[in-house]
Amino acid sequence: MHKRLFIPGPVEVANDVLEKMATPMIGHRSKEASELQRGISEKARKIFNTQEEILLSTTSGSGLMEGAIRSCTAKRAAVFSIGAFGKRWYEMAIYNNVPADLYEVEWGNAVDPNEVDKVLATGKYDLVCITHNETSTGVMNPVDELSLVIKKYPEIVWCLDTVSSMAGTKIEVDKLGVDICITSSQKAIGLPPGIAICSFSKKAVERAKKVTFRGYYLDLLLLYEYIQKKDYQYPSTPSLSHMFAMDYQLGKILEEGLENRYNRHIEMANYVRGWGKEHFELFADERYLSNTLTNIKNTRNINVGDLNKELGQRGFQISNGYGKLKEKTFRIAHMAECTMDDIKELLFNINDILKLQ
Ligand SMILES: *Cc1c(COP(=O)(O)O)cnc(C)c1O
């Protein structure tokens, strides 16, 4: 039996979108390939709220994260981590020999804008990495406040990981001043895994030109230049199947209406939070709760693995706590094409299994 996924990626993908993956191939140096990538970029710009270029990478989101920190750090990167995915930026820097420092908070908390201000005031850094929506903890960082601080430092290239939030909550890339805003296909966008996109500002372009060792496959400047010189093409052979599906799904997202989509996500988030508070507790600082997933503290000491097995027999799957939070929390994703009816059905079944009223 197919288990409906309520995990924070991959998510359920609509059948008509899955079918687009089976579109017959075209040449990747054809006019049609350019049109396909241009179409994706135009639609993505509306969702990202940006006028900047959109780069496409047929890797998952981690590919663009690694490419960003490597291609655009000329001096030193400051990584502000609030969980597992924040720390990943730092590991990428270290393994690529990119100078970087890690600033962490206790899991469940958000980044403190005053801390960012203090760190950047040292003048040591020219790139900052921040996770918008930390999927391991269920925290959504206060990007409006962070933006005010980061704008005080014009030499900073700001990389923002919106892998689990873009298209599930409003993110105004240009207004915030984000230079490289990254997202993957398999989360709130509602596509199969295997393709990622990011915005790439002119500041980021100029910075990358000053970095000698940008790698090749994940060199964001090369991706950018191919778009400019070769009319929206890709330096190697892209996953055209994903591109067909992405072009179609981004169109569907715009058709739903972005505000409608964000409101649907908030409505589902409120419902799951209410249920979580009624029967358990929420893990994250309540001022910074994620709109796309909820991380619930296992205050009843249930066996989360067993719960998931029983849910599996009924055709549902949720997520255990991430890493060190395994069995201590569990996560319910409410993103992409998920509806209130889906959420109600899931929670009804959890209530039934756990004998909650
Ligand atoms: C899933 C996730 C990633 C990793 O993305 P991949 O597409 O799996 O490479 C990075 N950051 C966050 C916040 C995520 O949720």
Side-chain angles (χ1 to χ4, degrees):
M1 182 185 16
H2 170 66
K3 286 183 217 160
R4 276 153 66 192
L5 299 177
F6 292 85
I7 63 175
V11 298
E12 285 301 298
V13 179
N15 281 330
D16 53 341
V17 177
L18 283 176
E19 280 165 17
K20 290 287 167 194
M21 294 283 289
T23 307
M25 285 306 118
I26 55 174
H28 69 297
R29 294 284 169 249
S30 64
K31 230 190 200 150
E32 292 100 306
S34 293
E35 273 161 28
L36 181 59
Q37 187 168 337
R38 196 183 308 109
I40 290 171
S41 303
E42 280 165 6
K43 294 176 187 83
R45 263 184 218 112
K46 292 184 186 148
I47 297 168
F48 281 59
N49 294 293
T50 184
Q51 305 292 320
E52 304 286 2
E53 196 52 89
I54 297 288
L55 309 183
L56 179 152
S57 169
T58 54
T59 59
S60 72
S62 301
L64 283 177
M65 287 168 68
E66 184 158 356
I69 201 164
R70 176 164 179 163
S71 304
C72 294
T73 308
K75 211 156 77 178
R76 195 172 188 90
V79 176
F80 294 93
S81 169
I82 61 167
F85 291 106
K87 199 163 179 194
R88 188 176 282 193
W89 285 109
Y90 179 69
E91 289 165 353
M92 287 166 169
I94 297 309
Y95 300 150
N96 279 291
N97 204 23
V98 171
D101 293 311
L102 176 65
Y103 297 93
E104 289 182 284
V105 299
E106 203 181 318
W107 284 28
N109 296 310
V111 175
D112 176 1
N114 294 322
E115 160 86 356
V116 174
D117 203 1
K118 254 193 261 161
V119 168
L120 297 188
T122 63
K124 286 202 296 194
Y125 304 101
D126 63 353
L127 182 134
V128 160
C129 298
I130 296 180
T131 316
H132 176 235
N133 189 65
E134 180 49 77
T135 316
S136 60
T137 63
V139 170
M140 199 175 254
N141 266 321
V143 276
D144 290 333
E145 291 167 51
L146 290 165
S147 156
L148 294 178
V149 169
I150 294 171
K151 279 183 181 161
K152 287 167 55 183
Y153 303 94
E155 72 279 18
I156 294 289
V157 166
W158 182 8
C159 304
L160 187 67
D161 168 356
T162 63
V163 167
S164 61
S165 47
M166 183 60 78
T169 197
K170 190 173 197 169
I171 302 163
E172 295 183 280
V173 168
D174 287 356
K175 208 163 136 194
L176 292 168
V178 174
D179 295 291
I180 309 178
C181 185
I182 299 169
T183 196
S184 293
S185 54
Q186 78 279 14
K187 303 202 181 169
I189 288 186
L191 283 166
I195 188 166
I197 47 175
C198 71
S199 62
F200 199 57
S201 73
K202 284 163 205 79
K203 197 204 274 187
V205 173
E206 291 314 309
R207 171 63 54 73
K209 286 179 182 166
K210 296 199 182 93
V211 176
T212 311
F213 297 109
R214 299 185 302 270
Y216 186 89
Y217 194 68
L218 298 172
D219 173 7
L220 300 198
L221 187 60
L222 183 64
L223 291 174
Y224 176 83
E225 286 174 342
Y226 247 80
I227 289 168
Q228 312 306 314
K229 290 183 199 151
K230 308 271 179 170
D231 189 22
Y232 281 94
Q233 289 197 357
Y234 196 72
S236 50
T237 319
S239 173
L240 292 157
S241 310
H242 280 94
M243 290 169 69
F244 288 124
M246 179 172 257
D247 188 44
Y248 180 74
Q249 171 66 1
L250 296 185
K252 277 183 73 175
I253 289 171
L254 294 172
E255 226 167 79
E256 176 181 8
L258 291 173
E259 290 304 323
N260 293 339
R261 191 172 177 90
Y262 303 144
N263 288 335
R264 174 166 60 77
H265 279 76
I266 289 168
E267 205 188 339
M268 294 190 293
N270 282 332
Y271 196 83
V272 177
R273 290 167 193 165
W275 177 87
K277 283 202 246 186
E278 189 182 343
H279 300 293
F280 297 88
E281 280 172 33
L282 304 186
F283 178 79
D285 182 334
E286 289 209 24
R287 292 170 299 173
Y288 306 112
L289 294 174
S290 162
N291 286 343
T292 54
L293 81 144
T294 300
N295 195 12
I296 295 164
K297 241 193 227 171
N298 184 7
T299 49
R300 287 175 178 259
N301 217 5
I302 60 163
N303 185 319
V304 176
D306 286 350
L307 168 63
N308 228 351
K309 255 183 233 150
E310 287 196 53
L311 280 171
Q313 284 161 11
R314 299 174 182 218
F316 302 92
Q317 188 182 339
I318 61 168
S319 264
N320 211 317
Y322 190 99
K324 64 186 179 189
L325 293 180
K326 191 169 180 198
E327 292 296 332
K328 294 198 174 80
T329 73
F330 61 93
R331 294 170 300 157
I332 297 175
H334 28 79
M335 60 170 84
E337 306 322 297
C338 187
T339 65
M340 270 299 267
D341 285 346
D342 295 327
I343 288 294
K344 284 181 179 165
E345 209 185 329
L346 170 75
L347 296 181
F348 174 86
N349 277 279
I350 297 180
N351 286 346
D352 192 45
I353 293 166
L354 298 179
K355 306 210 163 25
L356 302 173
Q357 287 308 310

